[in-house]
Amino acid sequence: MFTSDDHRWMLRAIELAARGMDTTTPNPRVGCVIVRDGEMVGEGWHVRAGEPHAEVIALAHAGARARGATVYLTLEPCSHHGRTPPCTDSLIEAKVARVIAAMEDPNPLVNGEGLTKLRAAGIDVRCGLLGVQATELNPGFVSRMTRGLPWVRMKVAASLDGFTALPDGRSQWITGEAAREDGHRWRARACAILTGIGTVRDDNPQLTARLEGVRRQPLKVLVDSRLEVDLEARILKGGDVLVVCARERAEVAAQLRDRGCEVLELPNAEGKVDLTALMLTLAARGFNEVHVEAGHKLNASLIREGCVDELLLYMSASLLGSGRPMFELDAVASLDERIALNLHAVDRLGNDVRLLARVARAG
């Protein structure tokens, strides 16, 4: 169904889409390549919400050469009016001959309608080329559109025997420079970075993506049930901060708001923060990917409540012998009760190993 040239150009479209990795939220990362007579005549990628989509940029690049061309898209073109006009109309007006999309748009406002509209206009439409790779570009967007939840990635750095810090909490630095820099890249692509009051109290992190050329800082989310955060904590300085509590303390909440923070009350039945409600709230606000950097207690709570989709584990080639664990989970009575993970990728970074593992769920 697809030729080697089709694969070649779609891979280029995927490469282009990845250039918007840290800017497109809440929109998906999309790339487009336009080819005529075996030659690339136009290409583009979506940069940020409100700006032209990848197709429009590529069509502007191609100009009249788009007529009769093949368009390679990592995602089905939109067919509705949002912040920008429908891209299907632009493709039809350009009189392209063929459109190959890697995947259908999971957005209910599109979900096949864009491809249908192109076919009705007489354009040869095909879908499914490198669909897995295209989906990997946008796990958060797909999750938000299909489940109403963000894609939650939990980052942990630990020794080979599973400890994230010494018994007294010291953890700088378990992993090497390459792993730490890689962690900042994962921060940069997230829409929000989430942590707990214990981590803020022990480590006083900034929770920013500190990389050269970072174009957007994620929202910082602090889970602080009793609003105990030190008002001079580094997490509160610079950038947007959402402090989530179980019950507001009026004076502290007012001081946080004076510092530009948002305070949100989301209690559960036990008087703690309702973590599932928090994830639903973030998704409703357009957050695709949430990056967690927390301590063993909040890590465990997020896992127990089914909020975690993926574990980003940096394993140091070292042994601590004792210390703080990655998660404070209850022991299981049998192996059948363990939390199953699917190992997605393993990479070496200096003298550390990075594992990407996804929580196995039915379906």
Side-chain angles (χ1 to χ4, degrees):
M1 181 178 180
F2 298 113
T3 68
S4 59
D5 280 343
D6 289 334
H7 281 79
R8 170 192 169 197
W9 294 119
M10 186 62 79
L11 283 171
R12 174 59 179 168
I14 290 171
E15 178 184 322
L16 291 168
R19 295 186 181 182
M21 189 65 72
D22 62 343
T23 59
T24 62
T25 181
N27 288 356
R29 300 144 182 153
V30 182
C32 177
V33 176
I34 302 176
V35 176
R36 180 173 172 178
D37 298 327
E39 177 188 358
M40 187 278 290
V41 296
E43 64 179 19
W45 69 93
H46 183 49
V47 178
R48 59 179 55 85
E51 296 186 7
H53 288 186
E55 305 94 310
V56 174
I57 295 172
L59 286 169
H61 183 194
R65 295 175 296 175
R67 187 185 184 98
T70 296
V71 179
Y72 296 88
L73 272 167
T74 59
L75 185 70
E76 173 186 6
C78 62
S79 56
H80 66 291
H81 283 272
R83 292 185 178 93
T84 58
C87 291
T88 49
D89 293 353
S90 298
L91 291 166
I92 292 169
E93 290 169 10
K95 299 187 183 303
V96 304
R98 188 168 66 142
V99 172
I100 298 179
M103 59 181 288
E104 288 189 2
D105 190 336
N107 186 342
L109 296 174
V110 185
N111 201 221
E113 290 300 318
L115 301 180
T116 298
K117 189 173 182 178
L118 293 175
R119 289 190 179 103
I123 296 173
D124 180 7
V125 176
R126 303 178 190 182
C127 187
L129 174 61
L130 301 182
V132 172
Q133 292 90 327
T135 302
E136 286 296 322
L137 284 169
N138 293 295
F141 181 77
V142 172
S143 176
R144 186 165 63 84
M145 290 296 130
T146 59
R147 302 188 301 164
L149 291 166
W151 182 263
V152 180
R153 180 179 298 112
M154 178 177 288
K155 178 254 184 179
V156 182
S159 61
L160 282 182
D161 48 354
F163 297 109
T164 63
L166 298 175
D168 62 7
R170 284 179 293 160
S171 61
Q172 296 183 341
W173 296 103
I174 284 183
T175 55
E177 184 176 346
R180 296 198 300 274
E181 183 176 339
D182 187 71
H184 281 280
R185 280 192 285 270
W186 287 95
R187 280 185 180 182
R189 68 174 280 170
C191 307
I193 303 176
L194 182 148
T195 194
I197 184 60
T199 298
V200 170
R201 187 185 296 119
D202 293 345
D203 299 338
N204 196 21
Q206 297 180 62
L207 283 195
T208 54
R210 296 186 293 282
L211 290 171
E212 184 177 351
V214 168
R215 296 169 287 182
R216 172 194 59 86
Q217 288 292 338
L219 173 75
K220 293 181 281 190
V221 181
L222 171 59
V223 176
D224 183 5
S225 293
R226 295 186 289 272
L227 285 189
E228 298 172 314
V229 64
D230 182 341
L231 296 176
E232 299 304 315
R234 294 202 297 174
I235 191 176
L236 303 181
K237 301 181 188 300
D240 295 333
V241 183
L242 171 63
V243 183
V244 190
C245 62
R247 184 174 181 180
E248 282 194 18
R249 294 165 56 201
E251 182 178 350
V252 177
Q255 290 175 311
L256 287 168
R257 292 186 176 108
D258 286 344
R259 284 165 168 75
C261 303
E262 179 185 357
V263 180
L264 179 63
E265 193 176 78
L266 284 178
N268 64 13
E270 290 76 41
K272 297 181 179 180
V273 169
D274 188 326
L275 298 173
T276 300
L278 172 56
M279 296 307 167
L280 290 167
T281 299
L282 292 174
R285 295 186 180 190
F287 289 84
N288 293 329
E289 294 184 23
V290 175
H291 180 90
V292 177
E293 292 194 26
H296 58 287
K297 292 182 180 180
L298 181 54
N299 282 350
S301 295
L302 287 163
I303 291 172
R304 275 195 299 267
E305 296 190 28
C307 295
V308 178
D309 298 295
E310 187 170 64
L311 297 176
L312 176 64
L313 304 178
Y314 295 93
M315 306 303 294
S316 164
S318 63
L319 303 172
L320 296 186
S322 180
R324 298 191 177 182
M326 291 188 278
F327 322 104
E328 194 174 80
L329 292 167
D330 296 331
V332 296
S334 71
L335 290 178
D336 292 337
E337 298 175 20
R338 61 186 167 176
I339 298 171
L341 304 173
N342 293 321
L343 194 58
H344 187 68
V346 180
D347 296 282
R348 179 170 177 170
L349 299 171
N351 202 38
D352 304 311
V353 175
R354 182 188 67 196
L355 293 88
L356 204 61
R358 294 179 175 172
V359 178
R361 293 191 176 99

